[in-house]
Amino acid sequence: MQSYKDENIKVLEGLEPVRKRPGMYIGSTDIHGLHHLVWELFDNAIDEVISGNANSIKVTLHKDNSITIKDNGRGIPIGINSTTKLSTVDTVFTVLHAGGKFDDNAYKTSGGLHGVGASVVNALSEWLIVTINRDNKIVESKYQNGGKIVQPAKVIGTTNRTGTTVAFKPDPTIFKNVTFNPSIIKERIRESSFLYKNLKIIFEDEINKETTEYYSTHGISEYVGFINDNKTPITNVASFSGIGSDNIEIDIALQYTNDTSDMIVSFANSVKTSEGGSHETGFKSALTECLNNYGRKWNLLKEKDKNFEGEDAREGLTAVISVRVPEKIIAYEGQTKNKLFTQEAVMSVKKFFGEHFTFWLEENKKDAIKIVQKALLSRDARIAAKKAREDTKKIKNANQTLLLSGKLTPAQSKQYSENELFLVEGDSAGGTAKLARNKRHQAILPLKGKILNVEKARLRDLLSNEEICTIISSLGVGIGNDFKIENLKYDKVIIMTDADTDGAHIQVLLLTFFYRFMRPLIEKGHVYVALPPLFRINSKLSDKKIAYAWNEQDLEEQKNNFKSYEVQRYKGLGEMSAEQLWETTMNPDTRLFLKVSIQDAVLAERRVNILMGDNSQIRKEWINNNVDFTLDE
């Protein structure tokens, strides 16, 4: 037995708990956790905006992948904290659970944790420098190696300005990768600029030598317009602002388009709640109730008709929801704040939005009728899809083997968390993959040609497509109202196609399908794209010396390792032997995969709509503006 004595009990002091278990504080140490450091400090600056004490923020990404965030708010207090006997600045950045957000007199609402957040960033940084402008003084503190004070707060100059500037560099011993993604940072900045009218935010990217300024005069109404820029609206933008019950400030803007999907973006105290929560629940409930009441009142829903369900009411909807919840009742699910848990927000948003949207429908009859008519089409399609699902289930239950006969080659193991499903282009490559695979954990599903482009398609269209039905059955998660991520039979769903234009098109069609109808597969990190090599290099002098290259540059580098060689250009997966396919593309120890994620939800929505939608002119313009068709000599 292992020894368990008094000396085995460890007491972690200061910021040690954060460095010991960073995932508890920032969710992970991957790219998401890395950027969460930025959000904690950026949210603190936004909190100064919320409190009415700042109107300008600057974020700088430096060449060494350090970050500086500067605001013109009040500045952190610069005196001595009576509890810690340290300066208040050093207390905020070196003591967990110390900050202004725990005092209602300092911040009525807040997103950042200003204490927990600041100290966590410090704990996970190689170095951090904070500079305060306050009380006509410039005060500076410096920390290194996880928050150790190397320069206590001291006055280094005088000023008539106010504000806080924090510069930090993530600790490479903590994070797998310390390279920031400018696109991810810009998305967050852009969102915040829409949430707060007349707030100027500057993003300076020293790596790519770009400076972008964000400024909105109309707030979230502009945000809805930005999201719908490449869609076809069928209504005007409706917006509602005010204070609901429990002193929750509410801003909602929405617009309907001719799309068949919906897009809801929500925030709580400026923090994006990507997993929704209580404010979204209240909004959705009120929306459905209002449309049912309006439809009944004006006889658009007949007496024999069933009520709209939530998905009917939301078809084609783009909505932005922003709430500011008082500090004393704010509650998130987890430290990373992806989901609002404040139960008071359900009824507050439902009552507020229900009253205002009901009035808006009465005052905007043309738009109201269009919305109800669209919901009627969605309801009819949903009922048809339900019948199609029931028919599919009858076939499946009658003869499961018939449904997947000759298609799916399943994995032998029932340990779903270890299993992988390869979606392979064509029977030829599928046959090779079946020979190459690890039978215990790898399943193969060959696809015949290109699947349906599901953008603009309804669920009933999908259920009449044999290839898509086979994918749905193989995954086991269902679709539509029957979708349950917990029933997924594979940890990894891998798209494996030829490295040519047809293969790329099949990838995009499959990704569009997952994005539109099984988005949690992507959000939970289950979807991958395999990267087979383009070239095989073998020595003319030795049969055993072989190398692979994934692009032209890689090929030229590999050639340097051979005196005399031959190069084979793979035109498709079918040209590989089973052994070659295994060692280059399917072997977990040697393969290269791209993990599919949604880093910028709004940008993803815009791109899918442009590239996969039915407006060919917008698609042509985007391609001409963004794709370089010239080839180097």
Side-chain angles (χ1 to χ4, degrees):
M1 295 179 63
Q2 291 181 317
S3 96
Y4 183 52
K5 301 178 180 178
D6 294 318
E7 56 265 28
N8 294 125
I9 305 300
K10 304 296 182 184
V11 178
L12 300 179
E13 299 181 350
L15 300 179
E16 286 183 77
V18 184
R19 293 182 65 80
K20 188 72 174 176
R21 297 284 187 270
M24 291 178 59
Y25 297 87
I26 60 170
S28 66
T29 54
D30 59 12
I31 191 170
H32 302 290
L34 178 71
H35 287 80
H36 192 79
L37 301 182
V38 183
W39 311 155
E40 289 290 2
L41 297 178
F42 183 72
D43 289 343
N44 287 341
I46 288 293
D47 288 336
E48 286 293 284
V49 176
I50 297 174
S51 65
N53 293 292
N55 61 8
S56 177
I57 301 172
K58 183 176 182 181
V59 179
T60 304
L61 171 59
H62 300 287
K63 292 181 180 180
D64 64 350
N65 268 287
S66 64
I67 295 276
T68 299
I69 298 176
K70 178 180 181 180
D71 68 61
N72 65 344
R74 290 168 291 184
I76 300 172
I78 57 177
I80 300 298
N81 183 270
S82 59
T83 302
T84 65
K85 309 305 179 184
L86 295 170
S87 71
T88 300
V89 178
D90 291 333
T91 299
V92 164
F93 280 88
T94 64
V95 178
L96 283 175
H97 306 295
K101 308 306 170 63
F102 304 107
D103 185 340
D104 290 344
N105 293 322
Y107 291 93
K108 292 182 179 179
T109 67
S110 68
L113 300 183
H114 203 162
V116 176
S119 57
V120 165
V121 175
N122 199 9
L124 301 177
S125 293
E126 182 180 325
W127 55 261
L128 183 145
I129 302 172
V130 56
T131 307
I132 312 296
N133 291 341
R134 184 177 172 121
D135 301 335
N136 299 119
K137 299 174 183 176
I138 304 174
V139 174
E140 181 184 76
S141 285
K142 295 182 178 180
Y143 315 91
Q144 286 183 1
N145 301 324
K148 295 179 178 62
I149 300 174
V150 294
Q151 178 188 297
K154 72 174 185 177
V155 178
I156 61 170
T158 60
T159 182
N160 58 3
R161 298 182 179 181
T162 61
T164 301
T165 302
V166 183
F168 74 96
K169 187 175 182 181
D171 190 337
T173 67
I174 299 290
F175 294 94
K176 302 172 185 176
N177 181 353
V178 291
T179 302
F180 288 101
N181 185 327
S183 296
I184 296 176
I185 298 173
K186 286 196 285 188
E187 181 207 8
R188 184 62 175 270
I189 290 174
R190 182 183 63 221
E191 289 169 350
S192 296
S193 73
F194 283 127
L195 293 180
Y196 301 99
K197 300 175 184 178
N198 305 316
L199 166 62
K200 181 172 74 172
I201 311 179
I202 297 173
F203 176 57
E204 184 178 4
D205 179 355
E206 292 184 349
I207 296 174
N208 297 299
K209 298 179 180 179
E210 294 178 350
T211 300
T212 311
E213 182 175 314
Y214 298 86
Y215 186 88
S216 172
T217 54
H218 299 289
I220 60 173
S221 295
E222 282 185 55
Y223 198 9
V224 169
F226 175 79
I227 297 171
N228 289 343
D229 185 39
N230 299 300
K231 300 182 181 183
T232 304
I234 63 172
T235 70
N236 294 312
V237 176
S239 62
F240 316 99
S241 297
I243 299 177
S245 56
D246 294 291
N247 288 319
I248 296 175
E249 297 178 40
I250 303 169
D251 285 326
I252 296 174
L254 61 87
Q255 184 180 44
Y256 279 84
T257 73
N258 67 352
D259 272 21
T260 56
S261 59
D262 65 279
M263 179 76 176
I264 297 177
V265 185
S266 64
F267 303 85
N269 294 8
S270 84
V271 177
K272 188 174 186 178
T273 42
S274 56
E275 296 180 18
S278 48
H279 50 340
E280 281 197 25
T281 299
F283 168 79
K284 290 176 180 178
S285 178
L287 180 78
T288 307
E289 189 175 296
C290 287
L291 291 184
N292 277 315
N293 291 341
Y294 188 85
R296 296 292 180 194
K297 178 179 179 179
W298 295 103
N299 205 31
L300 298 171
L301 271 175
K302 308 300 181 183
E303 186 175 340
K304 63 178 182 178
D305 291 337
K306 291 184 178 180
N307 273 351
F308 296 133
E309 294 187 3
E311 62 184 282
D312 308 327
R314 295 192 299 273
E315 181 174 296
L317 171 71
T318 298
V320 177
I321 305 165
S322 176
V323 297
R324 286 175 288 283
V325 183
E327 181 64 26
K328 62 183 178 181
I329 61 171
I330 187 73
Y332 296 98
E333 190 173 273
Q335 160 70 6
T336 51
K337 300 172 282 190
N338 291 325
K339 187 174 184 179
L340 182 66
F341 204 64
T342 303
Q343 291 307 303
E344 292 90 338
V346 177
M347 290 310 301
S348 182
V349 173
K350 181 178 180 179
K351 185 174 185 297
F352 173 86
F353 176 66
E355 292 175 353
H356 285 77
F357 190 51
T358 296
F359 182 77
W360 184 89
L361 290 171
E362 295 291 347
E363 293 294 306
N364 297 270
K365 192 170 184 178
K366 287 184 179 180
D367 282 352
I369 291 174
K370 289 178 183 177
I371 295 171
V372 173
Q373 288 174 338
K374 186 164 183 60
L376 285 167
L377 290 173
S378 176
R379 185 202 61 187
D380 294 343
R382 173 176 51 80
I383 294 171
K386 181 179 180 181
K387 184 178 184 303
R389 279 200 303 273
E390 290 171 350
D391 292 341
T392 301
K393 285 180 181 178
K394 289 177 183 178
I395 297 172
K396 179 180 177 182
N397 294 334
N399 194 343
Q400 172 70 27
T401 305
L402 177 63
L403 188 65
L404 297 178
S405 176
K407 295 182 179 180
L408 176 68
T409 303
Q412 295 173 347
S413 173
K414 299 302 180 184
Q415 288 290 109
Y416 294 160
S417 62
E418 299 177 4
N419 288 355
E420 303 174 342
L421 175 64
F422 285 82
L423 303 177
V424 185
E425 176 186 355
D427 289 334
S428 175
T432 306
K434 289 174 188 178
L435 295 173
R437 73 188 180 116
N438 174 333
K439 294 181 180 180
R440 182 162 180 78
H441 295 297
Q442 294 179 334
I444 308 297
L445 180 61
L447 301 175
K448 294 181 180 178
K450 299 174 181 177
I451 70 165
L452 174 73
N453 179 5
V454 303
E455 185 71 3
K456 310 298 181 185
R458 297 183 186 275
L459 185 55
R460 64 183 177 189
D461 302 320
L462 273 66
L463 296 174
S464 63
N465 183 278
E466 184 179 346
E467 294 296 291
I468 289 179
C469 281
T470 304
I471 295 173
I472 296 170
S473 297
S474 299
L475 294 176
V477 292
I479 198 165
N481 287 338
D482 297 331
F483 182 89
K484 292 182 175 62
I485 188 70
E486 60 270 20
N487 292 341
L488 181 63
K489 295 180 180 179
Y490 305 92
D491 179 63
K492 292 182 175 64
V493 181
I494 303 148
I495 301 170
M496 188 164 71
T497 62
D498 293 343
D500 58 16
T501 53
D502 281 342
H505 193 197
I506 292 171
Q507 287 179 18
V508 171
L509 289 169
L510 286 167
L511 289 173
T512 303
F513 165 61
F514 290 136
Y515 176 75
R516 283 294 180 216
F517 290 94
M518 294 183 174
R519 192 175 301 183
L521 287 183
I522 299 176
E523 293 172 339
K524 300 296 183 181
H526 294 294
V527 180
Y528 296 78
V529 176
L531 297 177
L534 286 176
F535 304 98
R536 180 177 184 267
I537 310 105
N538 64 281
S539 172
K540 291 182 178 180
L541 304 177
S542 171
D543 292 339
K544 295 182 179 180
K545 188 171 183 180
I546 297 171
Y548 296 92
W550 275 257
N551 53 48
E552 296 282 354
Q553 181 181 349
D554 193 16
L555 174 63
E556 294 304 315
E557 292 177 358
Q558 291 287 357
K559 286 179 180 179
N560 295 329
N561 299 322
F562 292 81
K563 289 183 179 180
S564 179
Y565 58 82
E566 291 178 333
V567 176
Q568 178 186 0
R569 170 68 157 87
Y570 290 121
K571 295 180 181 178
L573 298 172
E575 290 189 358
M576 292 185 182
S577 67
E579 181 182 5
Q580 291 167 1
L581 185 60
W582 165 253
E583 67 183 6
T584 63
T585 315
M586 299 181 71
N587 184 348
D589 296 330
T590 57
R591 66 193 183 188
L592 287 176
F593 280 0
L594 286 177
K595 187 174 184 178
V596 181
S597 63
I598 302 173
Q599 296 178 350
D600 184 335
V602 172
L603 184 61
E605 177 71 18
R606 285 164 59 89
R607 290 290 182 269
V608 170
N609 188 265
I610 291 172
L611 298 176
M612 305 304 291
D614 55 10
N615 192 324
S616 58
Q617 184 58 38
I618 290 177
R619 178 162 52 252
K620 180 180 178 181
E621 290 175 2
W622 187 91
I623 291 172
N624 286 335
N625 291 332
N626 292 275
V627 178
D628 185 1
F629 292 100
T630 62
L631 295 176
D632 293 333
E633 292 291 332

